[in-house]
Every structure is written in structure tokens, then in C-alpha cells.
Amino acid sequence: MSSITAHFVPGRQFNRTDVENRSIRKPLLQEQKSFLDQISRRYETGYIVGFLHDSASVRSVFAQISKNRDFKNLTILVHGSGGAQIFGYEECKDFAISAPKLALTFAEHLLVIDVNVDVQIDLMWCNSATDAHRHNFARDMSRQLTKAGLPDVFVCGYTGFVLEKGKVRAANGKFSCCNSPSQEAFKSHDDLHQHCSLADARATYLEGSLFEDAKRRLSVLHPAAVLGPGW
């Protein structure tokens, strides 16, 4: 095995008791399920999922990674709702995570991985690499990882609102970027609405600085770029 992909979502894995006691709101469960469904659609087999607010879950993911001695590339995909400053779940602010906090969550485990492994962290949410009110999650996370002793970790984010192509939660799980968070804007083809592929909107940071800029930096003026829609 030359490469490993691991996925993380905010929160913890909710059980039946949580639901029956109504201690977890139904919209939050639906939001988390939508991210888990996206992962399963795009990666049919061989993926690992961890929950960022459950330290045992995070340890378990990295323990599974460490069992493989022959891999050379590790890709960590982080899924959630958010913007340039924080991410988590729109339906529950208790699971919000800042760039420094996420960096330190991973740094603890990445520091013990073989130095010859190339690590890339992909922040799969809206405006995770947009410059907004002095915030840029990908850049800020890269800076914190460098301070923590991990200057060689690549951090990728996106310079627009990440939308699934076609209908919401489209069966093919394909995405693109737009300068507005609405599905209606995604369908529009006028001068006001800018669109591009997910790959073209990806920006990469290394050692806290821009390593590879996005091919398209969308003109994101929507206030949701900072915290995300619904925040």
C-alpha cells in the first residue's frame, strides 16, 4: 500500500440513546449523516472515518494508519460546514473548531509518523482557503502545524463555496465551487455568479505560506465566507 486516505468529521459518533433521549437534535444528525454519505459515495472501499470530538476515535484512526509500514503518502480529508475562520456543524455550534485547534489535534499524532511519509490535509468545506477578515483557515492551520514541528505538511483549502453538482447530495458525489452559497446561484450563468471546478479552486499552503495558488480565486463577497452559511 503506497497511500492511505483518512476522513474526519466534527462531533462524535452518536448512538441510539442520544437520539431516543433527544439530547442530539435531529437536524444535526442529518447534517452529520450527509457528510458520511458523501464519503461513502466517493470512496466505496478502504476509507477510514474518525470523529474529531472523540479523542478515542481520533487515536483509533491513527492507530490503523500506523499499522501500515509501507505507505508513502497520507491524505487526510476533513469534512464539515464552515468558512475561513471556523468549521463544524451549522446545526450545533458546540462542535466548532478553529484552525489552531484542528492543527494541534492532528499534530499530536502526525509527529510520530515516519518522517519519510508525505502528508496532505484537505479541508473539504466552503471558503477554507478564502482570505476573509484576516482569516484563512488553510493558511492559519499551516502556520500552527509549522509551530508544532510539522513544516512539511501540505494544507489544501478552497477559495469559494463548495457545492455538489446537480441536485443536493447528488448520487455521483461530484463537487464544484461558486462565489455564492445557494444552489440557485450554482445554476445561474450570469456575470454576477462565478463558478469553477473544485480542483481549480484549490489552494495549497506549506510552512504557513502559499505554496500553490488556486487557478481561480472567486470573488466571494458573501458574509458567510467567514463563518459559513447559518453561522
Side-chain angles (χ1 to χ4, degrees):
M1 181 183 295
S2 60
S3 63
I4 295 177
T5 300
H7 301 260
F8 287 91
V9 295
R12 57 186 174 82
Q13 191 165 18
F14 303 116
N15 56 39
R16 182 175 296 178
T17 303
D18 293 321
V19 181
E20 291 174 349
N21 293 341
R22 296 186 179 181
S23 58
I24 301 298
R25 293 192 299 153
K26 186 176 180 180
L28 170 60
L29 294 172
Q30 292 174 336
E31 188 177 359
Q32 185 183 78
K33 184 178 183 300
S34 73
F35 290 123
L36 296 175
D37 287 347
Q38 287 173 9
I39 295 169
S40 65
R41 285 198 302 272
R42 301 187 79 197
Y43 299 85
E44 295 181 0
T45 58
Y47 60 86
I48 313 169
V49 178
F51 297 85
L52 289 166
H53 287 82
D54 184 338
S55 57
S57 175
V58 176
R59 284 196 304 271
S60 175
V61 170
F62 282 98
Q64 292 179 67
I65 292 171
S66 299
K67 288 179 181 178
N68 298 277
R69 300 296 181 184
D70 58 346
F71 71 98
K72 296 298 181 184
N73 301 284
L74 171 60
T75 301
I76 297 173
L77 285 87
V78 188
H79 307 260
S81 299
Q85 183 177 357
I86 60 173
F87 93 105
Y89 287 127
E90 292 179 26
E91 296 296 338
C92 184
K93 308 305 182 284
D94 292 341
F95 293 126
I97 303 176
S98 66
K101 181 178 179 180
L102 183 61
L104 293 175
T105 297
F106 288 146
E108 173 186 354
H109 303 280
L110 291 174
L111 283 168
V112 298
I113 289 179
D114 193 319
V115 293
N116 294 318
V117 173
D118 292 326
V119 180
Q120 175 176 298
I121 299 174
D122 201 335
L123 308 177
M124 286 289 299
W125 68 83
C126 302
N127 297 295
S128 52
T130 294
D131 295 315
H133 295 270
R134 299 183 181 180
H135 296 287
N136 180 318
F137 202 106
R139 179 202 64 203
D140 298 343
M141 183 175 180
S142 179
R143 287 177 177 174
Q144 187 64 51
L145 286 169
T146 301
K147 291 179 182 178
L150 292 163
D152 298 326
V153 174
F154 293 91
V155 182
C156 303
Y158 298 90
T159 62
F161 290 91
V162 178
L163 301 173
E164 288 192 77
K165 289 185 177 180
K167 297 179 180 179
V168 178
R169 295 188 294 277
N172 59 15
K174 292 183 178 179
F175 298 86
S176 67
C177 273
C178 181
N179 65 340
S180 172
S182 70
Q183 287 286 329
E184 289 71 23
F186 173 77
K187 298 173 184 176
S188 301
H189 296 281
D190 52 38
D191 295 336
L192 181 62
H193 298 103
Q194 302 173 8
H195 309 270
C196 70
S197 68
L198 195 67
D200 284 351
R202 182 185 293 114
T204 303
Y205 290 82
L206 184 68
E207 297 186 76
S209 299
L210 186 64
F211 177 80
E212 183 176 357
D213 201 1
K215 294 180 180 178
R216 288 285 307 278
R217 278 195 173 266
L218 304 179
S219 299
V220 177
L221 302 177
H222 199 283
V226 182
L227 300 179
W231 292 71

